[in-house]
């Protein structure tokens, strides 16, 4: 498992919620030092701690483990779809156009990972 990448995603989610490490620690009932070592990827949290962190940060486990779990990409795709749905019509169209262009660019280059 790439603990450093998972820790970076936890940190990014915490910062999006405008929480300090101390505040997250209090909400999850762990020490601020423990939050720090998790975010740096020095330690992998226990499952119950990981779930508590995800719940407090209001993110899916899939989004934190996206490069660790093979099926996590579909969870992230659903979250992106939900986020796109909240955009005003013009912004939504710009995002969809950009994603479509990227997708078809990969397909033209022969990257089979992007085949439907």
């Amino acid at each position: 498992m790439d603990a450093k990448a998972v820790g970076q995603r936890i940190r990014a989610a915490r910062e999006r919620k405008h929480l300090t490490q101390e505040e997250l620690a209090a909400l999850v009932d762990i020490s601020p030092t423990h939050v720090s070592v998790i975010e740096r990827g020095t330690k992998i949290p226990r499952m119950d701690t990981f779930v508590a962190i995800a719940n407090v940060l209001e993110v899916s486990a899939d989004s934190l483990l996206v490069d660790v779990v093979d099926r996590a990409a579909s969870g992230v795709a659903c979250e992106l779809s939900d986020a796109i749905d909240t955009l005003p019509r013009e912004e939504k169209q710009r995002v969809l156009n950009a994603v479509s262009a990227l997708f078809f660019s990969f397909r033209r280059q022969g990257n089979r990972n992007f085949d439907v």
Side-chain angles (χ1 to χ4, degrees):
M1 176 187 321
D2 187 351
K4 189 171 184 175
V6 173
Q8 289 171 343
R9 282 191 286 282
I10 290 171
R11 175 182 294 130
R14 174 181 58 77
E15 290 173 347
R16 280 193 304 275
K17 296 284 289 179
H18 305 289
L19 292 172
T20 64
Q21 287 183 340
E22 292 76 15
E23 291 167 331
L24 176 59
L27 292 167
V28 177
D29 198 27
I30 60 176
S31 72
T33 302
H34 197 126
V35 171
S36 177
V37 296
I38 290 170
E39 288 185 353
R40 288 194 320 265
T42 306
K43 287 193 175 187
I44 298 170
R46 291 187 341 227
M47 181 63 71
D48 60 330
T49 302
F50 178 78
V51 170
I53 289 170
N55 286 337
V56 165
L57 297 176
E58 298 177 331
V59 296
S60 70
D62 283 356
S63 68
L64 297 175
L65 298 171
V66 70
D67 59 349
V68 178
V69 179
D70 291 338
R71 302 281 182 211
S74 63
V76 172
C78 288
E79 289 178 9
L80 286 172
S81 178
D82 290 345
I84 291 168
D85 282 343
T86 66
L87 295 173
R89 185 174 182 272
E90 287 182 15
E91 289 180 30
K92 185 185 300 186
Q93 193 57 51
R94 280 195 296 252
V95 169
L96 293 174
N97 289 342
V99 170
S100 292
L102 181 61
F103 175 80
F104 289 112
S105 172
F106 279 116
R107 286 190 75 186
R108 276 193 301 275
Q109 293 173 11
N111 188 331
R112 295 293 172 217
N113 292 328
F114 287 86
D115 282 345
V116 185

